[in-house]
Amino acid sequence: MQGAELFHEVNFNSHTSKGNGGLKNSLRFEAPWLILKSMELETLLKAQKNVSLRRIGEKVLEGKRLSPEDALTLFNSNELAYIGALAEYVNRQKNGMFAYFVVNRQINPTNICVYQCNFCAFGVLKSDPRAYEMSLEEILEKVEETYQQGGREVHIVGGVPPHWKVEDYVGLVREIKSRFPQMVVKAWTAIEIHHMAKISKRSYEDILKELKDAGLDAIPGGGAEIFSERARKIIAPYKANAEEYLEVHRTAHKLGIPSNATMLYGHVETYEERVEHMLRLRELQDETGGFQVFIPLAYWPEGTRLGGKRTSSVDDLKTIAISRLFLDNFPHIKAYWITLGEKIAQIALNMGADDLDGTIEEERIVHSAGTTSPYKQSKEKLINLIRSAGKIPVERDTFYNIVAIYP
Ligand code: V47
């Protein structure tokens, strides 16, 4: 490595369109860890006896893009430590020693849902005794509480009730934004946006423009599940398909609305289908550059019609690491502590992930399916999790603008 590379520049916020208060766009650090990492990696490559894995490692070191076949080779390998080290090398090049979190609140306004996906234990029919719908006042109280605690983001995701009109979705965004203009509203997945377009016979562009005018800042990644038609027929036969999900995100990016992307794994999908899923996201990201973060979501089976088993910790970490390696055009990879649990999420911060999501406050979707994670985390707990993973905790906003660094 040359002297010039002793420094490392970390860029954040790909989207500052709202001008909502990022401190800086980039920071320059002395970067001994990068030299160390590349030396470690060279040693690791020399010791790697498997030719295919060594070749993939060489590609990573040379900064070359991995092919779908490479990603499949990694999924079929049991060399977690090797894959994790490669992913961590890539992560440190992108994010240095930073690991991010946001003080946020998730709001699941209703569990009533027309789509009845088989992997989901949260959505119920309107007639179900478990059905609930929060009132506007209740939602605003929750937003206010988070705002008073210094929260920067509300993440709204829920069921798709048969009686909701476009005005209900738009109105909620407008109410929140008009009362709390500083709060970033990350709301409605591609599934809800597709649904709004369908029931009103309007285009995605039209719906998204209306939502943006009402104050929508970003779109969460939910609803992607797995793009494969075969697997989707089994787990989510009724809701928007892969093309529709991707088209909603494409349209949002064109309108300057950043979004996130997810992948639900560990149910009926094959490794090939995971790779195909990530490939389609990588292609769209090449086209638009509008995705901020990729979030692999580990499947929880309890109370679902689909049933099945929980994912293993090795699968969780491998999936995080491979996504970091394969999605070379995604700036961030999120280890969502709600689905991974705190301990695996913490290890993931050393295997390619650079983000833990946030304090969350209240989560009902994955808790309905049996996750043993708490409902919320304190900011201090997240800072400690990151610190004891050997990383520098960075509080961010939705757009990866830095709010505070806790060295
Ligand atoms: O789309 C539903 C998943 C998602 C189960 O954009 C389940 O920053 C596991 O997308 N087991 C909603 N997962 C949550 C989501 C999300 C979460 C955090 C951050 C962001 C972001 C997005 O939850 C759904 C679905 O894929 N889900 N049921 C289950 N049984």
Side-chain angles (χ1 to χ4, degrees), residues 5-233:
E5 293 165 59
L6 278 169
F7 290 93
H8 180 58
E9 195 146 301
V10 180
N11 295 310
F12 353 173
N13 76 304
S14 33
H15 298 273
T16 48
S17 57
K18 298 275 165 184
N20 39 14
L23 290 184
K24 280 183 186 154
N25 292 338
S26 65
L27 282 178
R28 222 167 123 75
F29 283 95
E30 281 189 38
W33 66 80
L34 265 187
I35 301 170
L36 196 70
K37 274 285 148 193
S38 82
M39 278 162 51
E40 267 174 31
L41 213 58
E42 278 163 22
T43 315
L44 211 63
L45 291 189
K46 279 195 195 118
Q48 180 52 256
K49 297 286 175 270
N50 179 308
V51 179
S52 310
L53 290 182
R54 194 166 62 236
R55 198 182 41 77
I56 292 170
E58 283 160 3
K59 273 187 164 180
V60 170
L61 204 53
E62 289 161 16
K64 290 192 180 142
R65 179 166 263 196
L66 297 193
S67 67
E69 294 70 34
D70 293 333
L72 200 55
T73 302
L74 296 175
F75 270 119
N76 282 314
S77 154
N78 288 321
E79 296 232 23
L80 175 63
Y82 179 77
I83 300 167
L86 295 182
E88 187 50 18
Y89 173 74
V90 172
N91 175 37
R92 288 200 194 186
Q93 286 191 316
K94 289 186 185 292
N95 298 296
M97 293 299 276
F98 283 178
Y100 297 90
F101 70 94
V102 58
V103 178
N104 67 349
R105 174 164 211 135
Q106 195 173 129
I107 299 178
N108 310 128
T110 176
N111 63 349
I112 301 172
C113 191
V114 290
Y115 290 118
Q116 296 296 295
C117 298
N118 293 322
F119 65 82
C120 181
F122 170 73
V124 297
L125 293 174
K126 206 175 168 193
S127 53
D128 193 296
R130 291 167 299 174
Y132 75 84
E133 232 175 314
M134 292 175 187
S135 67
L136 178 62
E137 287 66 37
E138 217 178 318
I139 293 172
L140 290 172
E141 262 171 42
K142 288 175 191 290
V143 180
E144 167 137 40
E145 192 186 297
T146 305
Y147 184 69
Q148 298 301 347
Q149 291 163 358
R152 296 259 159 174
E153 170 188 284
V154 272
H155 172 185
I156 306 177
V157 55
V160 181
H163 52 284
W164 278 33
K165 309 266 180 291
V166 175
E167 301 80 78
D168 296 307
Y169 297 92
V170 176
L172 187 52
V173 172
R174 188 178 293 112
E175 284 291 333
I176 294 175
K177 202 65 181 186
S178 64
R179 302 219 198 165
F180 306 96
Q182 269 95 6
M183 197 62 117
V184 171
V185 181
K186 180 175 93 178
W188 313 130
T189 68
I191 303 306
E192 282 126 337
I193 291 159
H194 169 79
H195 182 80
M196 286 180 233
K198 192 169 93 179
I199 58 174
S200 63
K201 300 191 170 54
R202 290 164 60 190
S203 67
Y204 296 153
E205 182 166 337
D206 214 22
I207 298 286
L208 282 163
K209 275 185 176 158
E210 191 177 340
L211 282 165
K212 193 178 179 193
D213 287 346
L216 182 87
D217 295 295
I219 294 179
E225 321 315 354
I226 198 83
F227 290 150
S228 144
E229 213 180 312
R230 180 202 72 84
R232 214 169 173 88
K233 260 191 202 143

Side-chain angles (χ1 to χ4, degrees), residues 37 80-96 98-100 293-294 296 316-327 330-335 344-355 391:
K37 274 285 148 193
L80 175 63
Y82 179 77
I83 300 167
L86 295 182
E88 187 50 18
Y89 173 74
V90 172
N91 175 37
R92 288 200 194 186
Q93 286 191 316
K94 289 186 185 292
N95 298 296
F98 283 178
Y100 297 90
V293 56
F294 176 67
D316 291 338
L317 290 167
K318 238 178 15 178
T319 306
I320 291 265
I322 296 168
S323 68
R324 177 60 290 163
L325 290 166
F326 191 68
L327 296 174
F330 274 63
H332 304 283
I333 301 291
K334 190 180 284 187
I344 298 298
Q346 193 185 34
I347 300 171
L349 293 180
N350 275 290
M351 291 198 171
D354 64 285
D355 192 304
K391 294 294 179 79

